[in-house]
Amino acid sequence: MSRRELALGAVVLHGPPPVGLLPGVSDQELAEFIRAELEDYWLPVTGNAKAELWLQDIWVDLGVLTFARASVTLRNGQLITKREALDELCSMGAPTAVVDDIRRRRYGTDLLRNPSASADRRARRAEQARKFVRAGITTLLAQHENPPPGPAHASRLTRRPLPPA
């Protein structure tokens, strides 16, 4: 991901541009990386055994936004910002309260005055976010299970079943 981002929009302050220093990343390599990251890292942390992690703001934000960004990249090869991912989430059926909460915490003007969420609200938000991300990843991986053939590495999705919820 970083190599692709640097190739597309690096701001060079001094020295040679990173494009000449780093190997390129093909669309297939990028898609394979994203599928592997979703399958090997994000899907397991959305399981019931890791549910307590999602009580933390950072897990809600990062999990939901990462899923939206990965979805767009797998769909059309485009890299989007976290702010753009928030807008994308609305069209993906994400829980409105979760998206609004992320937007308020990340971009709100009164961040210092907003009290922390109650334990009940945090638990509801955690469950909504975790289940949305898990269901979304499962669907996304199934849709991209058989990527177009290419010379690089084969996707691991064809070799391993998805872990249970």
Side-chain angles (χ1 to χ4, degrees), residues 86 89-90 93-103 121 128 132:
L86 276 170
L89 284 164
C90 297
T96 305
V98 172
V99 175
D100 290 346
D101 183 60
I102 294 169
R103 190 181 311 273
R121 184 167 165 260
Q128 287 178 325
F132 168 74

Side-chain angles (χ1 to χ4, degrees), residues 11-135:
V11 176
V12 178
L13 301 176
H14 181 72
V19 172
L21 301 173
L22 299 171
V25 178
S26 71
D27 290 346
Q28 181 178 342
E29 289 171 321
L30 181 60
E32 287 174 358
F33 170 80
I34 290 169
R35 285 191 303 269
E37 188 77 5
L38 291 174
E39 179 187 14
D40 297 340
Y41 181 77
W42 283 104
L43 197 57
V45 299
T46 62
N48 291 333
K50 300 286 185 176
E52 74 284 350
L53 293 174
W54 292 79
L55 294 169
Q56 301 171 53
D57 294 344
I58 189 65
W59 280 93
V60 171
D61 292 8
L62 194 56
V64 172
L65 294 174
T66 296
F67 168 65
R69 294 175 82 192
S71 297
V72 169
T73 304
L74 287 177
R75 183 174 61 235
N76 61 24
Q78 190 178 31
L79 300 179
I80 63 172
T81 66
K82 291 174 185 154
R83 187 181 287 267
E84 290 169 323
L86 276 170
D87 295 333
E88 184 70 25
L89 284 164
C90 297
S91 66
M92 298 173 77
T96 305
V98 172
V99 175
D100 290 346
D101 183 60
I102 294 169
R103 190 181 311 273
R104 179 191 54 74
R105 280 185 292 98
R106 291 182 69 87
Y107 304 108
T109 56
D110 60 344
L111 293 176
L112 296 177
R113 289 181 278 146
N114 281 336
S116 296
S118 70
D120 287 342
R121 184 167 165 260
R122 235 180 235 290
R124 276 192 310 277
R125 182 191 67 181
E127 190 69 6
Q128 287 178 325
R130 187 176 65 82
K131 285 184 174 184
F132 168 74
V133 172
R134 184 171 186 81

